[in-house]
Amino acid sequence: MMNNQSAIGVFDSGVGGLTVVRALIERLPYENIVYFGDTARVPYGVKSRNTIEQFTEQMVQFLMEQNVKALVIACNTIAAVAGERVRRLAGPLPVFDVISAGADAAIRHSQNGPIGVIATTTTVNSNAYARAIAIRQPNYRVISQACPLLVPLVEEGWLDHEVTRLTLREYLPPLLAERIDTLVLGCTHYPLLKPLIREEIPDIPLVDSALTTAEAVAYELEKRHLLNPTTQTPDYRFFVSDIPLRFRAIGERFLNRPIDQLEMVSLG
Ligand code: DGL
């Protein structure tokens, strides 16, 4: 049975959600975590809603079988198009997602907008950030820019590379032309580009949804008396639907620590 020592279940289309795990580990160092990354079917950012909903359902089922005490949608694309589906499947389990946490933080940072959002194509087309911000603050304009080239550049490890810098110089100017006063990093991979983005736009505050999600999880679990009361070294288990070449190296870069317990599970 699920209790307050049960793990937090975190899931993503692949390896990117490890940025959220990293933030969770830093914020909640005694929590057990079980992660699922759908590495066999990544990327989700160019796929349709129906396909993403179907894949997501399988991951949620798997995590619920592990008796998790909460679910964290670490993938912006999943949060954008399948958040409702996850909440329905989860029933009474608390569900957190990077878009709600990112929208909350964007409003805290912004003076009066417009708020810029960079994300995958599917996230931008879904308009999910604009809707999440409009619910909280209907007067703020949201300007979104799809940046499909950034995910592969980050996975390649080109975090401080001329090609990535030039790519940002293509993607960012339309947002700057609208005089955004805050930029939401609306994709799991983008927190790794923070130093480079800061160099390009030093005066605009960046919202890192990995950090704000971890903050939201900490707040809500405490409120619900669901924090793990023990202070033993926690258990981190990582499940993936495929172990591609260089997975460990890329994953450890996202997580900023070694991945010890890694297992492959076929879904669907
Ligand atoms: N995890 C995805 C996101 O945050 C990026 C990778 C993908 O396209 O699957 O939007």
Side-chain angles (χ1 to χ4, degrees), residues 24 27-28 96 213-223 227:
L24 277 171
R27 181 64 184 78
L28 294 168
F96 303 90
T213 301
E215 212 43 66
V217 174
Y219 176 82
E220 190 64 27
L221 291 189
E222 175 162 24
K223 208 169 87 184
L227 287 178

Side-chain angles (χ1 to χ4, degrees), residues 2-268:
M2 185 272 273
N3 58 40
N4 57 8
Q5 293 181 35
S6 303
I8 300 173
V10 185
F11 60 102
D12 176 52
S13 57
V15 78
L18 295 175
T19 52
V20 176
V21 174
R22 171 179 177 171
L24 277 171
I25 291 174
E26 278 162 19
R27 181 64 184 78
L28 294 168
Y30 301 119
E31 295 299 328
N32 300 307
I33 294 176
V34 41
Y35 180 83
F36 198 99
D38 196 5
T39 44
R41 303 186 290 201
V42 74
Y44 281 17
V46 290
K47 291 190 170 74
S48 70
R49 171 184 295 265
N50 277 351
T51 302
I52 294 169
E53 279 185 338
Q54 186 197 327
F55 292 173
T56 298
E57 208 161 287
Q58 295 165 352
M59 285 197 278
V60 168
Q61 249 149 23
F62 175 84
L63 288 173
M64 288 179 71
E65 281 160 19
Q66 313 301 309
N67 287 323
V68 294
K69 64 180 175 185
L71 285 168
V72 180
I73 309 176
C75 177
N76 289 259
T77 305
I78 296 176
V81 299
E84 280 314 306
R85 178 72 68 99
V86 174
R87 288 188 167 84
R88 230 177 304 136
L89 290 168
L93 276 191
V95 176
F96 303 90
D97 76 90
V98 278
I99 293 189
S100 307
D104 284 336
I107 281 160
R108 280 198 302 276
H109 279 87
S110 176
Q111 300 303 320
N112 51 14
I115 294 171
V117 177
I118 51 174
T120 63
T121 308
T122 299
T123 300
V124 168
N125 288 346
S126 76
N127 231 9
Y129 268 103
R131 280 186 278 122
I133 290 169
I135 291 168
R136 292 162 172 81
Q137 181 55 269
N139 302 326
Y140 284 15
R141 273 175 68 220
V142 176
I143 320 281
S144 304
Q145 171 73 48
C147 303
L149 293 176
L150 295 184
V151 164
L153 289 171
V154 170
E155 296 209 350
E156 193 58 35
W158 288 7
L159 306 181
D160 182 16
H161 191 290
E162 207 43 31
V163 171
T164 313
R165 195 168 282 116
L166 290 173
T167 307
L168 286 171
R169 286 183 190 161
E170 290 291 326
Y171 286 143
L172 295 177
L175 296 168
L176 302 179
E178 299 281 347
R179 302 190 158 274
I180 56 162
D181 74 348
T182 306
L183 180 64
V184 179
L185 308 180
C187 172
T188 46
H189 290 54
Y190 303 169
L192 277 83
L193 293 175
K194 257 197 282 187
L196 207 59
I197 297 174
R198 277 217 184 94
E199 266 175 39
E200 294 300 311
I201 48 170
D203 302 328
I204 297 177
L206 304 179
V207 172
D208 174 342
S209 40
L211 296 179
T212 55
T213 301
E215 212 43 66
V217 174
Y219 176 82
E220 190 64 27
L221 291 189
E222 175 162 24
K223 208 169 87 184
R224 294 186 188 218
H225 307 291
L226 275 175
L227 287 178
N228 189 351
T230 67
T231 52
Q232 287 154 7
T233 310
D235 198 29
Y236 301 131
R237 288 182 301 151
F238 299 94
F239 294 93
V240 286
S241 48
D242 187 22
I243 306 186
L245 288 175
R246 301 192 303 128
F247 174 82
R248 223 176 254 277
I250 298 172
E252 289 176 353
R253 184 184 313 133
F254 276 77
L255 194 60
N256 203 26
R257 59 190 295 141
I259 294 177
D260 297 322
Q261 300 188 64
L262 176 66
E263 233 177 277
M264 200 178 116
V265 176
S266 301
L267 291 180

